[in-house]
Amino acid sequence: MFTPAELLDINTLLTPENKIVILTHYNPDGDAIGSSLGLKHYLKAKGIYAEVIVPNDFPKFLKWMPEAKKVIIAEYKRKLASDMIAGADVIFCLDFNSPSRIGLLGDWLVKADGKKILIDHHQQPEKFDFVYSDTVIPATSQMVYHFIEALEDEKLVNKDIAECLYTGIMTDTGGFRFRSTSATTHRIIAHLIENGADPAMITSNTWDTNTVSRLHLLALVLGRIEVVNDGKVAVLSLTRNELKEFGFQKGDTEGFVNYGLSIAGVKMSAFFMEDLYEDFIKISFRSKDDVDVNQFSRKYFNGGGHINAAGGKSNESLSATIETFKNKVEEGNL
Protein backbone atom coordinates (compact mmCIF):
# COMPACT_ATOMS: atom_id res chain seq x y z
CA MET A 1 0.00 0.00 0.00
CA PHE A 2 1.01 3.63 -0.36
CA THR A 3 2.76 5.05 2.71
CA PRO A 4 0.72 7.26 5.06
CA ALA A 5 2.56 10.31 3.69
CA GLU A 6 1.77 9.27 0.11
CA LEU A 7 -1.89 8.74 0.98
CA LEU A 8 -2.03 12.28 2.38
CA ASP A 9 -0.46 13.65 -0.80
CA ILE A 10 -2.82 11.66 -3.01
CA ASN A 11 -5.83 12.75 -0.98
CA THR A 12 -4.91 16.40 -1.54
CA LEU A 13 -4.96 15.70 -5.30
CA LEU A 14 -8.45 14.21 -5.19
CA THR A 15 -10.48 17.39 -5.51
CA PRO A 16 -13.40 18.38 -7.79
CA GLU A 17 -11.17 21.08 -9.30
CA ASN A 18 -8.55 18.67 -10.59
CA LYS A 19 -8.94 16.93 -13.93
CA ILE A 20 -8.61 13.17 -13.38
CA VAL A 21 -8.31 10.35 -15.90
CA ILE A 22 -8.06 6.61 -15.35
CA LEU A 23 -6.05 4.49 -17.80
CA THR A 24 -5.76 0.74 -18.20
CA HIS A 25 -4.02 -1.72 -20.50
CA TYR A 26 -4.38 -2.74 -24.14
CA ASN A 27 -7.09 -5.36 -24.78
CA PRO A 28 -8.84 -4.57 -21.47
CA ASP A 29 -10.16 -7.57 -19.54
CA GLY A 30 -12.57 -7.90 -16.63
CA ASP A 31 -10.11 -6.71 -14.02
CA ALA A 32 -8.95 -3.76 -16.13
CA ILE A 33 -12.50 -2.51 -16.73
CA GLY A 34 -13.79 -3.50 -13.28
CA SER A 35 -10.99 -1.74 -11.40
CA SER A 36 -11.18 1.37 -13.62
CA LEU A 37 -14.95 1.76 -13.36
CA GLY A 38 -14.88 0.85 -9.67
CA LEU A 39 -12.38 3.65 -9.05
CA LYS A 40 -14.41 6.06 -11.19
CA HIS A 41 -17.57 5.37 -9.16
CA TYR A 42 -15.64 5.74 -5.90
CA LEU A 43 -14.38 9.17 -6.97
CA LYS A 44 -17.92 10.05 -8.08
CA ALA A 45 -19.17 9.13 -4.59
CA LYS A 46 -16.63 11.67 -3.24
CA GLY A 47 -18.01 14.32 -5.57
CA ILE A 48 -15.07 14.04 -7.99
CA TYR A 49 -15.46 13.55 -11.74
CA ALA A 50 -13.09 11.24 -13.63
CA GLU A 51 -12.96 9.72 -17.12
CA VAL A 52 -11.86 6.20 -17.99
CA ILE A 53 -9.75 5.89 -21.16
CA VAL A 54 -8.75 2.57 -22.73
CA PRO A 55 -6.43 2.02 -25.72
CA ASN A 56 -8.83 -0.18 -27.70
CA ASP A 57 -12.28 -1.70 -27.46
CA PHE A 58 -13.20 -4.33 -24.88
CA PRO A 59 -15.56 -7.36 -24.97
CA LYS A 60 -19.32 -6.90 -25.03
CA PHE A 61 -19.73 -9.16 -21.99
CA LEU A 62 -18.16 -6.40 -19.87
CA LYS A 63 -20.33 -3.58 -21.17
CA TRP A 64 -23.21 -4.25 -18.76
CA MET A 65 -21.23 -2.62 -15.91
CA PRO A 66 -22.41 0.82 -14.72
CA GLU A 67 -21.15 3.52 -17.13
CA ALA A 68 -19.10 1.03 -19.16
CA LYS A 69 -20.54 2.54 -22.32
CA LYS A 70 -19.11 5.93 -21.32
CA VAL A 71 -15.54 4.64 -21.39
CA ILE A 72 -13.46 6.56 -23.96
CA ILE A 73 -11.91 4.17 -26.49
CA ALA A 74 -8.76 5.85 -27.81
CA GLU A 75 -8.61 3.92 -31.09
CA TYR A 76 -11.94 5.57 -32.01
CA LYS A 77 -11.36 8.98 -30.37
CA ARG A 78 -7.63 9.62 -30.57
CA LYS A 79 -7.66 13.43 -30.27
CA LEU A 80 -10.11 13.48 -27.38
CA ALA A 81 -8.11 10.83 -25.51
CA SER A 82 -4.72 12.47 -26.12
CA ASP A 83 -6.02 15.92 -25.13
CA MET A 84 -7.57 14.56 -21.93
CA ILE A 85 -4.37 12.79 -20.89
CA ALA A 86 -2.24 15.85 -21.70
CA GLY A 87 -4.57 18.10 -19.71
CA ALA A 88 -5.02 15.84 -16.70
CA ASP A 89 -3.84 16.89 -13.25
CA VAL A 90 -4.02 13.31 -11.97
CA ILE A 91 -3.61 10.10 -13.99
CA PHE A 92 -4.49 6.79 -12.35
CA CYS A 93 -2.72 3.87 -14.03
CA LEU A 94 -4.50 0.61 -13.30
CA ASP A 95 -3.61 -3.02 -14.02
CA PHE A 96 -0.43 -2.38 -16.01
CA ASN A 97 3.20 -1.97 -14.95
CA SER A 98 4.68 -0.01 -17.87
CA PRO A 99 3.57 2.56 -20.47
CA SER A 100 4.49 -0.06 -23.10
CA ARG A 101 1.47 -2.10 -21.97
CA ILE A 102 -1.12 0.51 -22.92
CA GLY A 103 -0.69 0.77 -26.67
CA LEU A 104 -1.05 4.22 -28.19
CA LEU A 105 -1.72 5.72 -24.75
CA GLY A 106 1.86 4.99 -23.68
CA ASP A 107 3.56 7.93 -25.42
CA TRP A 108 0.83 10.30 -24.25
CA LEU A 109 1.23 9.09 -20.67
CA VAL A 110 5.01 9.55 -20.70
CA LYS A 111 4.70 13.14 -22.01
CA ALA A 112 1.87 14.12 -19.64
CA ASP A 113 2.60 16.47 -16.73
CA GLY A 114 -0.11 15.15 -14.41
CA LYS A 115 0.72 13.19 -11.27
CA LYS A 116 0.82 9.49 -12.18
CA ILE A 117 -0.57 7.02 -9.65
CA LEU A 118 0.04 3.31 -10.27
CA ILE A 119 -2.17 0.59 -8.77
CA ASP A 120 -1.13 -2.78 -10.18
CA HIS A 121 -0.31 -6.40 -9.35
CA HIS A 122 2.08 -7.31 -12.17
CA GLN A 123 5.76 -7.92 -11.60
CA GLN A 124 8.55 -5.40 -12.16
CA PRO A 125 6.63 -2.09 -12.26
CA GLU A 126 8.32 0.93 -13.79
CA LYS A 127 8.66 4.31 -12.08
CA PHE A 128 5.54 6.43 -11.44
CA ASP A 129 4.96 9.34 -9.05
CA PHE A 130 3.10 7.07 -6.64
CA VAL A 131 3.31 3.28 -6.77
CA TYR A 132 1.09 0.69 -5.09
CA SER A 133 2.36 -2.63 -6.41
CA ASP A 134 1.64 -6.04 -4.90
CA THR A 135 2.12 -9.19 -6.96
CA VAL A 136 0.49 -11.39 -4.30
CA ILE A 137 -2.93 -9.77 -4.61
CA PRO A 138 -4.96 -11.61 -7.28
CA ALA A 139 -6.69 -8.62 -8.89
CA THR A 140 -6.18 -4.89 -9.30
CA SER A 141 -9.85 -4.52 -8.38
CA GLN A 142 -9.01 -5.88 -4.93
CA MET A 143 -6.19 -3.34 -4.71
CA VAL A 144 -8.62 -0.54 -5.54
CA TYR A 145 -10.74 -1.74 -2.63
CA HIS A 146 -7.67 -1.66 -0.36
CA PHE A 147 -6.97 1.88 -1.60
CA ILE A 148 -10.51 2.94 -0.68
CA GLU A 149 -10.03 1.22 2.67
CA ALA A 150 -6.71 3.00 3.29
CA LEU A 151 -8.45 6.33 2.74
CA GLU A 152 -11.07 5.18 5.31
CA ASP A 153 -13.85 5.48 2.76
CA GLU A 154 -15.39 1.96 2.92
CA LYS A 155 -18.67 3.64 3.85
CA LEU A 156 -18.76 5.15 0.35
CA VAL A 157 -18.84 1.73 -1.34
CA ASN A 158 -22.18 1.64 -3.14
CA LYS A 159 -23.86 -0.73 -5.60
CA ASP A 160 -22.01 0.63 -8.66
CA ILE A 161 -18.59 0.35 -7.00
CA ALA A 162 -19.44 -3.09 -5.62
CA GLU A 163 -20.58 -4.50 -8.96
CA CYS A 164 -17.49 -3.30 -10.81
CA LEU A 165 -14.94 -4.44 -8.23
CA TYR A 166 -16.69 -7.80 -7.78
CA THR A 167 -16.52 -8.38 -11.54
CA GLY A 168 -12.83 -7.55 -11.66
CA ILE A 169 -11.96 -9.85 -8.78
CA MET A 170 -14.18 -12.67 -10.07
CA THR A 171 -12.70 -12.64 -13.56
CA ASP A 172 -9.04 -12.33 -12.51
CA THR A 173 -9.35 -15.18 -10.01
CA GLY A 174 -11.07 -17.50 -12.49
CA GLY A 175 -14.24 -17.44 -10.43
CA PHE A 176 -12.24 -17.54 -7.14
CA ARG A 177 -10.44 -20.73 -8.26
CA PHE A 178 -6.83 -19.57 -8.51
CA ARG A 179 -4.51 -20.16 -5.54
CA SER A 180 -3.86 -16.43 -5.16
CA THR A 181 -7.47 -16.08 -3.96
CA SER A 182 -7.09 -15.46 -0.23
CA ALA A 183 -9.29 -15.27 2.83
CA THR A 184 -8.93 -11.48 2.54
CA THR A 185 -10.27 -11.69 -1.02
CA HIS A 186 -13.37 -13.51 0.22
CA ARG A 187 -13.89 -11.02 3.05
CA ILE A 188 -13.82 -8.18 0.51
CA ILE A 189 -16.25 -10.08 -1.73
CA ALA A 190 -18.59 -10.46 1.25
CA HIS A 191 -18.49 -6.71 1.84
CA LEU A 192 -19.18 -6.02 -1.83
CA ILE A 193 -22.19 -8.34 -1.72
CA GLU A 194 -23.44 -6.57 1.42
CA ASN A 195 -23.20 -3.30 -0.53
CA GLY A 196 -25.16 -4.33 -3.58
CA ALA A 197 -23.15 -6.76 -5.71
CA ASP A 198 -25.42 -9.60 -6.87
CA PRO A 199 -23.24 -12.69 -7.58
CA ALA A 200 -25.89 -14.45 -9.70
CA MET A 201 -26.53 -11.38 -11.86
CA ILE A 202 -22.83 -10.55 -12.28
CA THR A 203 -21.90 -14.13 -13.18
CA SER A 204 -24.75 -14.40 -15.67
CA ASN A 205 -24.02 -11.04 -17.33
CA THR A 206 -20.30 -11.75 -17.57
CA TRP A 207 -20.04 -15.45 -18.37
CA ASP A 208 -23.45 -16.65 -19.61
CA THR A 209 -23.17 -14.65 -22.83
CA ASN A 210 -22.08 -17.27 -25.35
CA THR A 211 -22.95 -16.88 -29.02
CA VAL A 212 -23.28 -19.82 -31.38
CA SER A 213 -20.12 -18.68 -33.19
CA ARG A 214 -18.13 -18.65 -29.93
CA LEU A 215 -19.26 -22.18 -29.11
CA HIS A 216 -18.27 -23.31 -32.62
CA LEU A 217 -14.78 -21.88 -32.02
CA LEU A 218 -14.59 -23.58 -28.63
CA ALA A 219 -15.65 -26.91 -30.15
CA LEU A 220 -12.94 -26.53 -32.78
CA VAL A 221 -10.27 -25.81 -30.17
CA LEU A 222 -11.29 -28.65 -27.88
CA GLY A 223 -11.58 -31.06 -30.81
CA ARG A 224 -7.86 -30.85 -31.45
CA ILE A 225 -6.42 -30.11 -28.04
CA GLU A 226 -3.00 -31.72 -27.68
CA VAL A 227 -1.24 -32.88 -24.52
CA VAL A 228 2.58 -33.05 -24.53
CA ASN A 229 5.51 -33.33 -22.12
CA ASP A 230 4.29 -36.57 -20.51
CA GLY A 231 0.77 -35.25 -20.05
CA LYS A 232 1.81 -32.11 -18.18
CA VAL A 233 1.26 -29.49 -20.91
CA ALA A 234 -1.84 -28.77 -23.00
CA VAL A 235 -1.68 -26.97 -26.37
CA LEU A 236 -4.67 -25.19 -27.94
CA SER A 237 -4.77 -23.07 -31.11
CA LEU A 238 -6.85 -21.19 -33.67
CA THR A 239 -5.95 -19.86 -37.12
CA ARG A 240 -6.98 -16.53 -38.63
CA ASN A 241 -9.14 -18.29 -41.23
CA GLU A 242 -11.00 -20.16 -38.49
CA LEU A 243 -11.65 -16.91 -36.64
CA LYS A 244 -13.05 -15.38 -39.81
CA GLU A 245 -15.13 -18.45 -40.67
CA PHE A 246 -17.00 -18.32 -37.38
CA GLY A 247 -17.38 -14.53 -37.16
CA PHE A 248 -14.91 -13.90 -34.33
CA GLN A 249 -15.66 -10.93 -32.08
CA LYS A 250 -13.43 -9.43 -29.38
CA GLY A 251 -13.67 -11.53 -26.24
CA ASP A 252 -14.86 -14.72 -27.98
CA THR A 253 -11.74 -16.68 -27.00
CA GLU A 254 -11.62 -15.38 -23.42
CA GLY A 255 -11.02 -18.30 -21.07
CA PHE A 256 -10.23 -20.87 -23.76
CA VAL A 257 -6.76 -21.42 -22.32
CA ASN A 258 -8.25 -22.52 -18.98
CA TYR A 259 -9.79 -25.63 -20.53
CA GLY A 260 -6.33 -27.14 -20.84
CA LEU A 261 -5.85 -26.93 -17.07
CA SER A 262 -9.06 -28.92 -16.54
CA ILE A 263 -7.31 -32.05 -17.87
CA ALA A 264 -6.08 -34.35 -15.10
CA GLY A 265 -2.32 -34.12 -14.72
CA VAL A 266 -1.87 -30.95 -16.78
CA LYS A 267 0.21 -28.28 -15.03
CA MET A 268 0.45 -25.77 -17.88
CA SER A 269 -1.88 -24.76 -20.70
CA ALA A 270 -0.96 -22.63 -23.72
CA PHE A 271 -3.35 -21.12 -26.25
CA PHE A 272 -1.98 -19.83 -29.58
CA MET A 273 -4.04 -17.63 -31.89
CA GLU A 274 -3.19 -15.85 -35.12
CA ASP A 275 -4.04 -12.17 -34.95
CA LEU A 276 -7.03 -11.32 -37.10
CA TYR A 277 -5.30 -8.46 -38.94
CA GLU A 278 -1.55 -8.51 -38.31
CA ASP A 279 1.12 -11.16 -38.78
CA PHE A 280 1.86 -12.25 -35.24
CA ILE A 281 0.72 -14.95 -32.83
CA LYS A 282 -0.98 -14.01 -29.59
CA ILE A 283 -0.25 -16.46 -26.76
CA SER A 284 -1.97 -17.06 -23.43
CA PHE A 285 -0.36 -19.17 -20.69
CA ARG A 286 -1.94 -20.58 -17.54
CA SER A 287 -0.43 -22.90 -14.95
CA LYS A 288 -0.89 -24.59 -11.60
CA ASP A 289 1.22 -24.78 -8.46
CA ASP A 290 4.79 -23.45 -8.85
CA VAL A 291 4.99 -23.64 -12.65
CA ASP A 292 6.10 -20.07 -13.46
CA VAL A 293 4.66 -19.04 -16.82
CA ASN A 294 5.62 -15.41 -16.20
CA GLN A 295 9.35 -16.15 -16.42
CA PHE A 296 8.82 -18.67 -19.22
CA SER A 297 6.94 -16.11 -21.31
CA ARG A 298 9.46 -13.35 -20.59
CA LYS A 299 12.35 -15.59 -21.62
CA TYR A 300 10.94 -17.12 -24.80
CA PHE A 301 7.86 -15.22 -26.00
CA ASN A 302 8.31 -11.46 -25.38
CA GLY A 303 5.67 -11.41 -22.68
CA GLY A 304 5.05 -11.72 -18.97
CA GLY A 305 2.37 -11.40 -16.33
CA HIS A 306 1.96 -13.49 -13.18
CA ILE A 307 3.39 -16.79 -11.99
CA ASN A 308 0.25 -18.70 -12.99
CA ALA A 309 -1.11 -16.45 -15.75
CA ALA A 310 0.84 -14.70 -18.50
CA GLY A 311 0.71 -13.61 -22.10
CA GLY A 312 3.18 -13.63 -24.93
CA LYS A 313 3.72 -12.90 -28.60
CA SER A 314 5.55 -14.48 -31.53
CA ASN A 315 6.38 -13.19 -35.00
CA GLU A 316 6.87 -16.71 -36.36
CA SER A 317 4.08 -18.63 -38.09
CA LEU A 318 1.51 -20.44 -35.95
CA SER A 319 3.02 -23.86 -36.63
CA ALA A 320 6.58 -22.64 -36.01
CA THR A 321 5.54 -20.93 -32.77
CA ILE A 322 3.86 -24.06 -31.46
CA GLU A 323 6.88 -26.15 -32.44
CA THR A 324 9.22 -23.75 -30.62
CA PHE A 325 6.97 -23.93 -27.56
CA LYS A 326 6.93 -27.73 -27.56
CA ASN A 327 10.70 -27.86 -27.87
CA LYS A 328 11.18 -25.50 -24.92
CA VAL A 329 8.88 -27.44 -22.58
CA GLU A 330 10.29 -30.80 -23.69
CA GLU A 331 13.78 -29.46 -22.90
CA GLY A 332 12.63 -28.89 -19.35
CA ASN A 333 12.54 -25.11 -19.47
CA LEU A 334 9.46 -24.70 -17.29
Side-chain angles (χ1 to χ4, degrees):
M1 175 50 66
F2 301 113
T3 67
E6 288 174 329
L7 285 169
L8 283 173
D9 289 342
I10 291 170
N11 216 13
T12 62
L13 295 170
L14 302 183
T15 67
E17 294 74 33
N18 275 340
K19 295 177 182 176
I20 300 175
V21 297
I22 301 166
L23 311 182
T24 192
H25 60 74
Y26 188 77
N27 285 338
D29 56 10
D31 191 28
I33 299 299
S35 60
S36 298
L37 287 174
L39 178 61
K40 174 180 179 174
H41 289 299
Y42 161 64
L43 294 173
K44 183 178 179 181
K46 288 173 71 73
I48 300 165
Y49 183 75
E51 288 276 15
V52 176
I53 303 173
V54 298
N56 61 334
D57 206 355
F58 53 99
K60 287 183 179 179
F61 63 76
L62 298 173
K63 293 186 176 179
W64 65 267
M65 280 187 276
E67 297 196 22
K69 293 181 179 177
K70 294 183 179 180
V71 170
I72 295 169
I73 301 168
E75 69 175 348
Y76 304 147
K77 298 181 178 180
R78 292 176 68 100
K79 187 174 188 309
L80 175 62
S82 63
D83 287 349
M84 292 190 72
I85 293 170
D89 300 298
V90 181
I91 304 171
F92 279 97
C93 304
L94 303 188
D95 204 34
F96 65 93
N97 58 359
S98 164
S100 65
R101 301 293 183 185
I102 58 174
L104 76 168
L105 304 186
D107 288 341
W108 303 339
L109 174 62
V110 170
K111 295 173 183 175
D113 294 325
K115 290 293 184 181
K116 303 172 180 73
I117 304 171
L118 177 75
I119 302 177
D120 176 59
H121 64 146
H122 296 88
Q123 297 184 3
Q124 300 173 346
E126 294 188 8
K127 183 175 175 59
F128 293 76
D129 293 305
F130 300 93
V131 174
Y132 172 25
S133 172
D134 192 329
T135 60
V136 174
I137 295 178
T140 298
S141 293
Q142 179 174 326
M143 298 179 74
V144 169
Y145 181 91
H146 288 311
F147 175 57
I148 295 170
E149 198 175 38
L151 292 175
E152 300 182 351
D153 277 341
E154 302 102 305
K155 62 186 178 299
L156 294 180
V157 175
N158 55 32
K159 185 171 183 289
D160 288 346
I161 298 168
E163 287 181 346
C164 295
L165 297 185
Y166 185 108
T167 303
I169 297 170
M170 178 188 75
T171 53
D172 239 32
T173 58
F176 315 107
R177 292 171 55 231
F178 299 158
R179 69 173 184 169
S180 57
T181 308
S182 65
T184 299
T185 305
H186 284 292
R187 280 191 284 270
I188 290 169
I189 287 297
H191 187 239
L192 296 178
I193 292 171
E194 289 166 355
N195 284 275
D198 181 341
M201 181 275 289
I202 292 171
T203 302
S204 179
N205 283 351
T206 305
W207 282 337
D208 298 340
T209 57
N210 284 320
T211 60
V212 172
S213 62
R214 182 179 190 273
L215 293 179
H216 280 312
L217 285 171
L218 178 59
L220 190 63
V221 167
L222 296 181
R224 62 160 176 258
I225 192 169
E226 186 179 2
V227 179
V228 299
N229 197 28
D230 297 324
K232 295 197 265 298
V233 177
V235 180
L236 306 88
S237 64
L238 279 172
T239 69
R240 179 183 298 127
N241 287 339
E242 289 165 345
L243 296 174
K244 289 179 178 178
E245 180 182 354
F246 292 105
F248 171 79
Q249 295 184 39
K250 185 176 289 292
D252 275 355
T253 58
E254 187 81 19
F256 280 14
V257 66
N258 295 323
Y259 283 92
L261 287 184
S262 70
I263 301 170
V266 167
K267 297 294 185 182
M268 177 183 183
S269 178
F271 174 55
F272 302 85
M273 185 176 77
E274 288 184 322
D275 186 78
L276 199 56
Y277 305 108
E278 299 181 42
D279 290 326
F280 71 89
I281 309 302
K282 180 182 177 183
I283 313 169
S284 296
F285 298 110
R286 296 293 184 272
S287 68
K288 293 178 180 177
D289 303 329
D290 59 353
V291 176
D292 190 340
V293 291
N294 171 54
Q295 292 302 323
F296 180 85
S297 181
R298 283 180 182 275
K299 188 172 182 180
Y300 299 112
F301 292 102
N302 306 300
H306 308 285
I307 290 176
N308 296 123
K313 181 178 178 180
S314 169
N315 292 317
E316 294 186 301
S317 68
L318 180 62
S319 59
T321 299
I322 293 174
E323 191 61 29
T324 297
F325 170 76
K326 289 180 182 178
N327 289 337
K328 295 304 179 186
V329 297
E330 292 289 353
E331 289 168 6
N333 288 299
L334 288 182

